[in-house]
Amino acid sequence: MSTQRLQALVAPASVAVVGATTRAGAVGNEVLVNLLKGDFPGVLTAVNPGHDEILGVPCVPSLAELAEPPEHVIFALGDRHIEAALGEAIALGIPAATIYSSLELDAAPGLKERIAALAKDAGMLLAGANGMGIYNFRERFWGCGFDTRDHPQPGNVVLLSQSGSGMSGILDCEQRIDFLFAASTGQELVVGVEDYLEYVLELPETRVIGLFLETSRQPQKLLACFARARDQQIPIVVLKVGKTELAAELAISHSGALAGSDASYQAVFDRYGVQRVADMDELATALILFAQPHGLPAGGLVSLHDSGGERQLMIDLAEQQGVGFADLGSATLQKLEDLLDPGLPAVNPLDAWGAGGSDADEIMSECLATMLSDENAALGVVVHDRAPFGRIYQNYIAYMERAHERSGKPLCLVSSRQGIGDDDLVVETTRRGFPVLDGVAQFLAAARCLFAYRDFLSLPAMQPPVLSPTIVATVASQLAQSGISGSLGEYLSSALLGECGLNLNDMLLLHSEEELEQYAEALHYPVVLKTAEDGIDHKSDREGVVLGIKNQQSLREAYQQLSLSLGPRALLAPMIEGDGVEMILGVSRDEQFGPMLVLGFGGVHAEVLQDVAVLMPPFDAACARRALDKLRLRPLLDGVRGEAAVDIDSFCEMAARLSAIAVAFADDIVEIDINPVKLGAWGAVGLDALVVYQPQTREHAA
């Protein structure tokens, strides 16, 4: 939906409020209060048979009494009356509507489905149901039926929330943010969060977008919006709920939509540079930081303190968040030493509060300006607690102004906590471009997002491998000719993956002891013998793998025992010896976003530690390397206790190649498992492979 398509919903020329009332605090009263407070520029009418006017707004008995149907009707009605009222609006040709009620309480079964069908069949744009409405501050349309604070000016921040409280909990309470647009999307019976996202990405004022996301009903459109935001360099900060199993189940029941796995959502966020936060405090703080006007250059954080203990707290929390401090140059450190009182170390983070004499403020201010002017500094923070009654001291602001004047770099003021006090200077200073924030942990989470987004934008364009059409056609033909739907077994799986360019261990398929004898004498020992009987995908669990067979006689005996216990079909492969690390590569199909690739540490590590990353294909080897470098066991790949470092690049190239396979066969292959991949100084080779083939099972979001 373009801005034009959504116009009647988000920026209507005329609005009628059905169920308007004089009763203060009721939804039918609050929506009129908000529209008037926002100075709605269009034609506004109340609908209630008992009044001629409400709050000075003309009132008519019914929609049919209006001389001209409005562009947008807002229903401030209970569930029992919605269906008939919506039918009347549709009959009048009204193009857009908002429903606040849940369509679940005290209503006939299936009401929600009937309302959705009515609106869709009529081509009506519908906000809700079970939402809190829309605020378009740009167009002065405050279409919300619940009380809010004053919003003196349209800003540059967008907030889209599938939770009503997820919107109001920030928008109504956080005066440090000037919003451009906000929407509580509710049940998304017709218009979803993706449609609003598409709309705000077309607004020239949009600087940052916050999302409170439970799930996506239009995953393809969500991906397209994320891609557009990336291309336009508009950061998106998301609070994604449903991470735990119980939360995911409740999100599904609340939203009524299919939910993908949290790991897949994280892979999508990583792919498009969407920054993720853990709670609403972090979301609000990140929006404030991204909305400030000063660009973030290369470098790290510099932090000024007046407390040694709080400096230590900053260091601990920064390590948890992965925020790096700037490595100050020798000239900067020398200047700091010259400024500081004896006994105070010239380090970053810096505790510059010494004896506290008459020149203390001058020392603090000059120290901050000196640190932030260093070429390795990108962002400055003054960490000082609030004054009594929650106020801030003017000299703290002076520190920031001086440092910014010298460096041109962004700064903010952070207190350990706010308390119950308040200070208008906080809002004023934040609006001037120097955010005043509360809570070191929340600040660091937001700073992590700021740094991560900057670094994401600086990445070179990905160059993922692409399978040639010839290879795709050949393998597709072989898959079709196999006549199999389900597991292809290790032999065929390895053969097909090998044909696609993956390095899989060579193997022979045996059906009898006679075939074994044909090959046994020419083999290079040691070898591995595995069962190849149908339906045995996890061979070790069935004692279907014999390792390290060193000669012909041992091979014959192993095969005889395997045939007796599991059957005559078996695989024979070289035993890959030498030092190395067991890794894993895999592909699975997410119900919303299509194929996702898993890479990480395999074997026992995969089952016990689950030290893996999930990536959205296709991607290149450099992307795989960045994901691998973040894993806990990553130091194992550099060699420990005298072992040689492994060839990491070969594994990352293998992962990138597998990502191309996942995309090429996304409709037909639902799972690929290569575990383990033996990774050594000599390269990477897959020792065991499994492909699950289910042709044209269903469409997916590519």
Side-chain angles (χ1 to χ4, degrees):
M1 294 182 183
S2 67
T3 53
Q4 227 173 10
R5 173 76 173 91
L6 278 185
Q7 195 75 13
L9 188 70
V10 301
S14 54
V15 173
V17 179
V18 177
T21 178
T22 58
R23 189 156 43 89
V27 172
N29 187 265
E30 286 292 342
V31 67
L32 288 176
V33 169
N34 284 333
L35 288 165
L36 293 170
K37 187 190 296 186
D39 194 22
F40 177 62
V43 177
L44 178 59
T45 309
V47 179
N48 186 318
H51 300 276
D52 294 327
E53 62 85 24
I54 299 175
L55 300 179
V57 176
C59 189
V60 296
S62 68
L63 288 172
E65 304 276 337
L66 290 168
E68 186 175 338
E71 281 194 350
H72 189 136
V73 58
I74 296 176
F75 293 110
L77 299 172
D79 289 350
R80 292 188 186 91
H81 306 289
I82 285 289
E83 193 167 10
L86 181 66
E88 181 184 6
I90 290 172
L92 292 170
I94 297 173
T98 294
I99 296 177
Y100 302 130
S101 65
S102 66
L103 305 185
E104 292 171 352
L105 302 177
D106 300 322
L111 177 62
K112 181 165 57 177
E113 290 73 19
R114 295 198 303 277
I115 293 294
L118 282 170
K120 289 177 181 177
D121 290 346
M124 173 184 272
L125 299 168
L126 182 62
N130 198 27
M132 297 182 71
I134 299 165
Y135 289 100
N136 190 340
F137 299 106
R138 182 180 193 265
E139 304 293 344
R140 291 184 289 161
F141 173 60
W142 296 22
C144 180
F146 306 88
D147 62 328
T148 188
R149 64 178 174 89
D150 291 336
H151 300 273
Q153 60 190 19
N156 57 14
V157 177
V158 170
L159 180 60
L160 306 176
S161 176
Q162 291 178 323
S163 163
S165 295
M167 180 188 77
S168 63
I170 295 176
L171 181 135
D172 295 335
C173 307
E174 185 49 82
Q175 293 177 266
R176 287 170 289 190
I177 301 176
D178 289 324
F179 288 95
L180 176 68
F181 185 96
S184 161
T185 65
Q187 294 166 346
E188 301 181 357
L189 300 185
V190 176
V191 179
V193 67
E194 302 86 356
D195 301 308
Y196 296 110
L197 187 55
E198 189 177 55
Y199 171 80
V200 298
L201 285 170
E202 294 187 14
L203 301 180
E205 300 90 345
T206 299
R207 182 178 179 89
V208 59
I209 300 169
L211 293 181
F212 188 115
L213 192 64
E214 296 177 357
T215 188
S216 173
R217 291 175 173 81
Q218 303 175 79
Q220 286 183 301
K221 181 174 282 191
L222 184 70
L223 297 182
C225 288
F226 283 170
R228 181 171 182 178
R230 174 200 59 197
D231 295 343
Q232 294 179 201
Q233 297 191 13
I234 296 175
I236 295 177
V237 184
V238 62
L239 173 56
K240 172 67 175 72
V241 297
K243 190 171 184 178
T244 63
E245 184 176 347
L246 176 59
E249 289 175 0
L250 293 177
I252 294 169
S253 64
H254 177 252
S255 67
L258 208 60
S261 76
D262 188 75
S264 295
Y265 271 97
Q266 187 60 56
V268 167
F269 300 154
D270 291 341
R271 178 60 173 269
Y272 295 103
V274 175
Q275 301 304 309
R276 187 171 187 175
V277 292
D279 57 37
M280 288 174 63
D281 281 336
E282 291 184 4
L283 177 58
T285 305
L287 293 177
I288 294 170
L289 268 191
F290 274 109
Q292 60 84 30
H294 310 299
L296 186 70
L301 178 68
V302 295
S303 183
L304 178 72
H305 299 258
D306 58 3
S307 162
E310 289 192 355
R311 177 182 63 177
Q312 295 305 109
L313 177 63
M314 166 68 82
I315 294 170
D316 291 342
L317 293 175
E319 183 176 1
Q320 292 175 19
Q321 285 288 349
V323 174
F325 293 101
D327 186 10
L328 301 178
S330 57
T332 301
L333 294 175
Q334 184 59 57
K335 289 180 183 178
L336 292 177
E337 286 185 7
D338 295 341
L339 289 166
L340 293 168
D341 287 350
L344 291 177
V347 294
N348 177 33
L350 177 66
D351 174 11
W353 187 262
S358 59
D359 60 349
D361 281 345
E362 175 63 24
I363 292 173
M364 297 284 282
S365 179
E366 183 62 22
C367 283
L368 179 64
T370 298
M371 287 196 296
L372 200 61
S373 298
D374 190 278
E375 64 179 2
N376 293 325
L379 173 66
V381 57
V382 178
V383 184
H384 289 349
D385 290 320
R386 292 283 190 100
F389 307 104
R391 294 175 183 149
I392 57 174
Y393 292 114
Q394 284 282 356
N395 55 331
Y396 298 169
I397 301 171
Y399 298 170
M400 295 190 291
E401 290 174 333
R402 182 176 187 175
H404 177 71
E405 185 178 351
R406 290 256 293 270
S407 68
K409 298 172 185 176
L411 293 106
C412 49
L413 173 64
V414 176
S415 62
S416 295
R417 62 187 308 274
Q418 176 187 342
I420 61 171
D422 195 11
D423 189 347
D424 290 340
L425 191 57
V426 170
V427 177
E428 176 189 327
T429 304
T430 300
R431 284 184 174 152
R432 287 176 51 212
F434 300 104
V436 179
L437 306 170
D438 304 295
V440 174
Q442 292 96 308
F443 159 72
L444 287 168
R448 168 184 53 78
C449 294
L450 204 65
F451 284 122
Y453 187 71
R454 176 202 65 187
D455 296 343
F456 172 81
L457 292 180
S458 69
L459 293 174
M462 276 203 298
Q463 297 179 325
V466 179
L467 293 189
S468 74
T470 301
I471 290 176
V472 172
T474 299
V475 172
S477 176
Q478 292 173 340
L479 284 168
Q481 291 173 10
S482 72
I484 299 173
S485 180
S487 172
L488 298 183
E490 184 178 356
Y491 180 74
L492 183 55
S493 296
S494 296
L496 294 177
L497 293 174
E499 193 149 2
C500 290
L502 295 186
N503 185 23
L504 276 297
N505 198 14
D506 294 330
M507 58 185 65
L508 296 169
L509 179 62
L510 306 174
H511 298 84
S512 66
E513 191 168 349
E514 289 74 21
E515 285 187 13
L516 175 68
E517 295 297 335
Q518 293 175 21
Y519 301 118
E521 190 171 343
L523 292 174
H524 295 283
Y525 294 91
V527 295
V528 177
L529 185 69
K530 307 178 186 179
T531 182
E533 292 295 336
D534 293 338
I536 306 178
D537 293 330
H538 301 287
K539 303 174 182 64
S540 297
D541 295 344
R542 298 282 298 276
E543 297 184 352
V545 180
V546 184
L547 302 173
I549 301 172
K550 296 180 179 180
N551 53 56
Q552 212 171 328
Q553 180 59 32
S554 298
L555 175 59
R556 185 179 297 112
E557 293 172 357
Y559 180 77
Q560 290 171 349
Q561 179 60 40
L562 199 65
S563 298
L564 185 64
S565 59
L566 296 176
R569 284 170 53 88
L571 298 174
L572 193 57
M575 180 78 181
I576 305 298
E577 296 186 294
D579 294 336
V581 180
E582 289 189 341
M583 308 296 289
I584 187 172
L585 287 172
V587 175
S588 61
R589 181 185 291 170
D590 182 79
E591 58 190 353
Q592 288 185 306
F593 299 111
M596 292 288 164
L597 189 141
V598 174
L599 65 85
F601 290 84
V604 175
H605 296 132
E607 298 174 3
V608 178
L609 298 180
Q610 297 183 350
D611 194 17
V612 297
V614 179
L615 299 179
M616 183 180 181
F619 52 82
D620 58 15
C623 177
R625 179 63 180 261
R626 290 191 296 272
L628 192 62
D629 285 344
K630 295 177 182 178
L631 299 183
R632 299 189 305 276
L633 297 178
R634 168 63 180 80
L636 290 178
L637 305 182
D638 295 327
V640 294
R641 296 190 177 182
E643 293 184 0
V646 302
D647 183 2
I648 299 175
D649 289 341
S650 66
F651 178 74
C652 294
E653 288 163 4
M654 190 174 184
R657 187 71 175 178
L658 181 59
S659 81
I661 296 170
V663 171
F665 298 100
D667 290 331
D668 298 328
I669 292 179
V670 296
E671 186 177 348
I672 300 173
D673 186 39
I674 309 174
N675 183 30
V677 176
K678 187 70 173 288
L679 178 58
W682 34 264
V685 58
L687 303 186
D688 198 344
L690 179 67
V691 172
V692 178
Y693 173 60
Q694 293 177 357
Q696 301 296 324
T697 53
R698 62 181 175 88
E699 294 182 0
H700 62 82

